[in-house]
Amino acid sequence: MFQSFELNVVRNVQLRIERLRIEMARVGLDGFLVPHGSEHQGTCMPPLNAQRLIWLTGFTGSSGIALILKDKAIIFIDGRYTLQVRQQTDATIFSYENLPSTSPAIWLEHHGAGLKIGFDAWLHTISETLCLRNALDTVGGHLIEVEKNLVDIIWDGRPNAPIGQVTLQPIEFTGRTAQEKLSEMQEAITAAGASATILTDPSSVSWCFNIRGRDIANTPLPLSFAILSVRNKPQLFIDQRKLGENETIYLQKLCNILEPTKLEESVQHLAQSGEVILLDPSLTAERLRSITEKSGGKIKEGVDPSLLPRAIKTQAELTGMRKAHKRDGVSLVRFFAWLAHQKPGAQDEISTAQKLEEFRSQIAETTNSKLEDIAFNTISGTGPNGAIIHYQVNTKTNRPLMNGELYLVDSGAQYRDGTTDVTRTIAIGDVEEEKKRCFTLVLKGMIAISIACFPKGTRGQDIDALARIALWKNGFDYIHSTGHGVGSFLSVHEGPQILSRFGKQELLSGMIVSNEPGYYRDNSFGIRIENLLVVQEAKTPTGGDLPMLSFETLTLCPVDRNLILSELLSEEECNWLNDYHDTVYRTLSPMLNETDRKWLAQASAPLDH
């Protein structure tokens, strides 16, 4: 099993907070910031040695930040974790603020008068640091960089950095060689008015060099940095214990390989040599900006040059993603067919998550593939647990799947040829009409995105509302984004594309996004339906005059017909669902045994309107 369900309780939180305050006093600080992320930033769960927020507070969400002051401790979380943070942490120790309405910078602007706030410049981006510094400057406070992270000082038994082995991602899955990508990066650096850039996101490094790793749970990345220059050979900063002989030979042809401890020195030399260094302020650690400026270097702020080409998948990557989703679809059908034959109460949230992983592993093996990992810890929640958006089941919270409840399962897989992410909500036995009504409203939103046809130049924020209109008309909404980008055997969360109110990136052909509207009723039930989509070229409608785009659906898994009130669907919506189910059946049925094929035939039968 890739996922553990043991409850890891963080004990002695109060003692750890007190020890941190002693360190704060020792270096003359009134407060200290403890973010979720690592030196590489991003939303992936950091490696064990960088999980400072979890170690200090017990909160395990994928984003968040704590501010520890002399007399109070605050955890800042977004709406996905409103319930989770209160379940995992002690409200007598912590208070809670909601992001983005009250960020640490906004809070300090109102309450930080005269305070000296410490931070680790490796763990905060350039943009984030600027906001914090400006907020404190406004009220006479000070943002102070510490020489060594204060949490690391008090963290007894802190794990060592991971040394997962690096593997090469073959051209049949990437569609482009690393040399081609690196040449494109040099062109992009020049176009941005710079002569070098520093890549701090391991996803960017992995994509550029066509390598993968095992340093981060569920995400096949090697922790690494890179410096790309238009004049000199690229430099890759990676623990060389991760490299086998073949990987070393391969990489030496592309770049100079150095230990991560050499990064700061190399950045100093780069700055002193007169290079104009392109830094992405939303991804690059403040520490690298500081080193560059102190060494007399010139900084050009801009976007990580690999983000956009990484998001626009090659034909080889799209082919691999389609194969991965077909394989994954068979696993999902087998799982739901198995679950349909279980009596209410016979299975629970843990046993179902285990069974789904088992099916994925079996199907991958029988199709000459391999389940490399799960894409994230499976969200397996029934009844009130389903209302916790990023619920993580453990042995304490585990609930049986009981009659009359909704079961929400959000899961994904990492295969060498692609990454999947799919959510289905199903009825356990007979459920009340209100739950069916809410489910159908969510389904209408999912279909609205699926059938959308939109002009080139459209951004994620322009179509996000399509998924919400049916819910809005009934006084409902959801507090997460409608969709995120997805990598190709990389991170299951990938930018810059996103379907949300904040999605400013233009949607381009070849991008992959999730489509996952939902509805959550606290302490009662949760609903989410999710497919992955590919942005594709579309025909201009007759009489139209704009070049258009639309979506191709990758995910192959039926939607629970038992939860659909067909009278709430339009004819167009009903036709789309019937066509989708027909595609699912025709694609997957040849790969199923008779029992599973019979279940799929019933699950994908046409819906009357």
Side-chain angles (χ1 to χ4, degrees), residues 469-525:
I469 291 174
L471 290 163
W472 285 349
K473 287 180 178 179
N474 288 269
F476 299 150
D477 200 2
Y478 50 95
I479 55 179
H480 55 74
S481 300
T482 297
H484 55 83
V486 179
S488 175
F489 192 49
L490 284 170
S491 175
V492 75
H493 292 99
E494 178 179 87
Q497 71 276 24
I498 184 173
L499 304 184
S500 88
R501 297 178 177 94
F502 309 104
K504 296 181 180 181
Q505 170 61 48
E506 175 186 349
L507 297 175
L508 300 170
S509 181
M511 286 180 168
I512 294 175
V513 293
S514 67
N515 172 18
E516 49 182 310
Y519 175 64
Y520 312 89
R521 188 165 292 178
D522 288 356
N523 302 312
S524 183
F525 62 86

Side-chain angles (χ1 to χ4, degrees), residues 65-268:
I65 182 170
L67 172 60
I68 310 302
L69 300 165
K70 293 178 179 179
D71 58 350
K72 65 178 63 178
I74 309 165
I75 301 178
F76 299 82
I77 40 84
D78 64 47
R80 296 171 297 171
Y81 299 110
T82 301
L83 296 178
Q84 181 178 330
V85 72
R86 287 165 172 80
Q87 292 178 345
Q88 292 184 325
T89 64
D90 189 341
T92 66
I93 299 174
F94 300 102
S95 60
Y96 310 102
E97 296 287 349
N98 291 322
L99 297 167
S101 58
T102 305
S103 66
I106 292 172
W107 191 92
L108 287 168
E109 191 170 355
H110 289 87
H111 306 284
L115 296 182
K116 296 179 180 179
I117 304 298
F119 81 117
D120 183 340
W122 270 112
L123 304 184
H124 298 263
T125 66
I126 297 171
S127 295
E128 183 184 4
T129 303
L130 180 62
C131 290
L132 290 166
R133 184 172 286 118
N134 287 343
L136 284 165
D137 285 347
T138 300
V139 294
H142 303 277
L143 187 65
I144 300 172
E145 179 180 348
V146 297
E147 292 185 9
K148 183 174 182 179
N149 192 294
L150 303 189
V151 173
D152 295 352
I153 293 174
I154 65 171
W155 189 346
D156 298 327
R158 182 181 172 218
N160 294 323
I163 50 171
Q165 291 300 293
V166 167
T167 59
L168 307 181
Q169 186 72 343
I171 187 71
E172 66 180 290
F173 296 143
T174 66
R176 301 179 66 195
T177 66
Q179 189 58 63
E180 289 173 329
K181 294 178 180 179
L182 291 169
S183 295
E184 181 182 354
M185 292 303 97
Q186 289 180 320
E187 293 174 4
I189 292 167
T190 300
S195 55
T197 192
I198 306 171
L199 299 181
T200 62
D201 182 349
S203 290
S204 297
V205 177
S206 296
W207 180 84
C208 283
F209 290 94
N210 284 344
I211 58 176
R212 300 295 187 266
R214 295 188 177 278
D215 286 339
I216 301 176
N218 310 144
T219 308
L221 300 175
L223 295 178
S224 52
F225 298 92
I227 294 178
L228 307 183
S229 170
V230 298
R231 300 190 184 103
N232 302 305
K233 196 173 184 180
Q235 294 176 301
L236 175 64
F237 300 86
I238 189 169
D239 188 326
Q240 295 182 53
R241 291 175 295 175
K242 302 175 184 179
L243 305 177
E245 182 178 356
N246 290 338
E247 290 73 28
T248 299
I249 293 172
Y250 165 83
L251 288 169
Q252 284 176 337
K253 296 177 182 178
L254 297 170
C255 61
N256 294 322
I257 306 171
L258 297 90
E259 292 294 324
T261 54
K262 296 292 184 180
L263 177 61
E264 290 196 13
E265 179 184 338
S266 296
V267 173
Q268 289 173 344

Side-chain angles (χ1 to χ4, degrees), residues 14-27 29-32 56 67-74 93-94 150 154:
Q14 184 64 58
L15 177 60
R16 293 177 182 184
I17 297 291
E18 290 172 358
R19 290 183 63 192
L20 181 58
R21 285 173 173 150
I22 291 172
E23 288 300 317
M24 288 161 44
R26 181 181 62 82
V27 294
L29 296 174
D30 300 304
F32 187 70
L56 185 67
L67 172 60
I68 310 302
L69 300 165
K70 293 178 179 179
D71 58 350
K72 65 178 63 178
I74 309 165
I93 299 174
F94 300 102
L150 303 189
I154 65 171

